[in-house]
Amino acid sequence: MSQMSPMSPMRHKRHAMPVTQGEHVIVVGAGVSGLTTAVALSLAGCRVTIHAAEGPSQTTSALAAAIWHPFYQAPDFVYLARARQTYATMCRLSTDATSGVLMRSLTEYFRRDAGAPWWAECASRLKRLPETEVPARFACAYRMDVPVADTGAYLRYLMNMFLELGGQYVQRRVDSMTSLLDKADIVVNCCGYGSRQFGDDHLSLSRAIVLRAARDDAVRGCFIDDSDPHAPTYIVERDDDIVLGGTADPALTSTVIGAHQIDDIVRRCARLCEGVAALRVIDARVGFRPMRRAPRVARDSEHPRLFHNYGHGGGGFTLSWGCANDIVRLAGLTSAGAPRRSIDSDAAQP
């Protein structure tokens, strides 16, 4: 099923009745998309319950490098709008020390000089590096500030924000989305690859191998070269560690990590930043990105009170707030936006 654009009055006339503030919403899934959607709906005045088989720390989101960046994304206005909203919101959250979000300097290298990245308007302090600072194998490089989330801290922050707003969390496996419609006014499916069991055969998996290294002054900032679709190379400095990546292995489901794969990631990263060679690798992890031709952020075509928000591939964090706000609008609600202050202050007022 392909992605649907925001509702057209003609096509969706029979679904025009909006959800009213105060009605009950069930969000299925507790990854970054599920938590962000639940927070956005709570801020819009809904009573929200999350149903999830696994807690946030067990989701694919917990393994992500969680850097704001449109990996392998062709120019797209819908993607740009969602990414822009997420960038702005995460910038605000970075001012709260408890959020787990920090602004980091990102240097991205390009094999072909096509000018500034098509999404550059979202990023702050963008500048092109002089040729003397760009390795010969690259045509150009740009540096900018982007949000980076420590996944554990950020997912806990979102969950705490959700609970402070009056949300409820139920740990349970959902076998049928439509059965939940008897228990809530609307249901939002944010369960990623799990949506395949509900009939979306457009979903596939892409295996990602990432390494965590101990922090070291030899590496400052973040670095990316995503010119190889099967071997994205990235270095992400976080508060407590440094993430090195990675791979994008279509349809592979093995969780075995070979020494040669670890060595290859370290070698590629060291070519982007020499300081990587001095890092001590703590562990290697495997995650599985839910891939789709385009994210499904839409009202269900058969059940007007069922909505979907999944299939973001490697863009879950990059698109999270934009997609959550789209769900709020599709449901006919007014988004209150993300809190500008700590959730400990004034019950997360926007």
Side-chain angles (χ1 to χ4, degrees):
M1 186 174 294
S2 61
Q3 180 191 18
M4 294 169 62
S5 60
M7 291 188 296
S8 157
M10 294 291 290
R11 184 175 180 182
H12 297 279
K13 186 175 181 180
R14 65 188 181 94
H15 301 328
M17 182 66 70
V19 177
T20 59
Q21 270 83 350
E23 295 199 21
H24 184 210
V25 179
I26 292 177
V27 173
V28 184
V32 68
S33 294
L35 290 175
T36 309
T37 300
V39 168
L41 287 164
S42 296
L43 288 168
C46 294
R47 294 181 295 111
V48 185
T49 303
I50 293 176
H51 288 205
E54 299 175 321
S57 63
Q58 281 78 51
T59 63
T60 299
S61 298
L63 298 176
I67 182 171
W68 184 98
H69 183 270
F71 282 96
Y72 303 129
Q73 176 62 43
D76 181 281
F77 287 117
V78 174
Y79 191 107
L80 184 66
R82 292 168 175 165
R84 184 189 298 112
Q85 291 175 52
T86 304
Y87 186 99
T89 301
M90 294 188 76
C91 281
R92 294 202 302 270
L93 293 179
S94 72
T95 64
D96 184 342
T98 67
S99 70
V101 180
L102 290 172
M103 298 302 292
R104 295 288 192 197
S105 172
L106 165 64
T107 303
E108 181 164 8
Y109 297 94
F110 296 90
R111 307 275 177 164
R112 185 171 61 89
D113 187 355
W118 63 272
W119 42 264
E121 66 177 74
C122 298
S124 61
R125 297 178 59 188
L126 177 79
K127 70 173 184 177
R128 182 182 174 114
L129 296 190
E131 292 184 8
T132 54
E133 296 182 28
V134 180
R137 66 184 181 280
F138 296 108
C140 63
Y142 285 82
R143 185 167 291 154
M144 65 215 80
D145 289 346
V146 299
V148 173
D150 179 289
T151 51
Y154 184 56
L155 294 175
R156 285 192 299 272
Y157 180 86
L158 291 176
M159 177 61 84
N160 289 337
M161 187 189 302
F162 169 66
L163 296 174
E164 288 284 339
L165 288 165
Q168 294 185 321
Y169 173 75
V170 177
Q171 188 156 341
R172 56 160 294 195
R173 183 173 299 279
V174 173
D175 296 318
S176 168
M177 289 290 169
T178 54
S179 67
L180 294 178
L181 292 171
D182 295 331
K183 304 174 182 178
D185 297 294
I186 67 171
V187 175
V188 186
N189 168 22
C190 298
C191 59
Y193 188 72
S195 299
R196 193 172 175 87
Q197 69 174 307
F198 304 122
D200 190 343
D201 57 6
H202 293 280
L203 276 165
S204 63
L205 287 177
S206 175
R207 185 181 68 169
I209 297 175
V210 296
L211 313 180
R212 282 197 318 120
R215 279 189 57 87
D216 192 297
D217 288 342
V219 175
R220 290 294 188 187
C222 305
F223 305 84
I224 289 177
D225 168 22
D226 68 354
S227 57
D228 185 337
H230 298 298
T233 302
Y234 50 89
I235 304 159
V236 180
E237 179 196 8
R238 305 196 299 194
D239 248 4
D240 298 321
D241 58 18
I242 296 173
V243 177
L244 308 176
T247 65
D249 305 317
L252 290 183
T253 57
S254 170
T255 58
V256 176
I257 303 174
H260 68 286
Q261 293 167 313
I262 295 175
D263 291 343
D264 178 64
I265 291 173
V266 171
R267 178 188 59 79
R268 285 190 279 119
C269 289
R271 294 187 73 194
L272 284 188
C273 174
E274 293 180 358
V276 169
L279 299 181
R280 177 174 60 88
V281 175
I282 301 171
D283 61 29
R285 300 178 177 184
V286 174
F288 297 93
R289 305 180 183 98
M291 305 300 293
R292 207 169 181 277
R293 185 183 62 81
R296 189 181 184 193
V297 182
R299 188 191 295 264
D300 190 85
S301 59
E302 300 295 327
H303 304 280
R305 292 187 294 117
L306 173 61
F307 296 80
H308 301 280
N309 180 11
Y310 64 83
H312 308 93
F317 282 86
T318 303
L319 298 173
S320 54
W321 285 100
C323 289
N325 289 338
D326 277 354
I327 291 295
V328 171
R329 284 191 289 271
L330 286 169
L333 297 163
T334 301
S335 174
R340 296 176 183 270
R341 295 191 290 253
S342 166
I343 58 173
D344 295 325
S345 172
D346 298 330
Q349 291 296 312

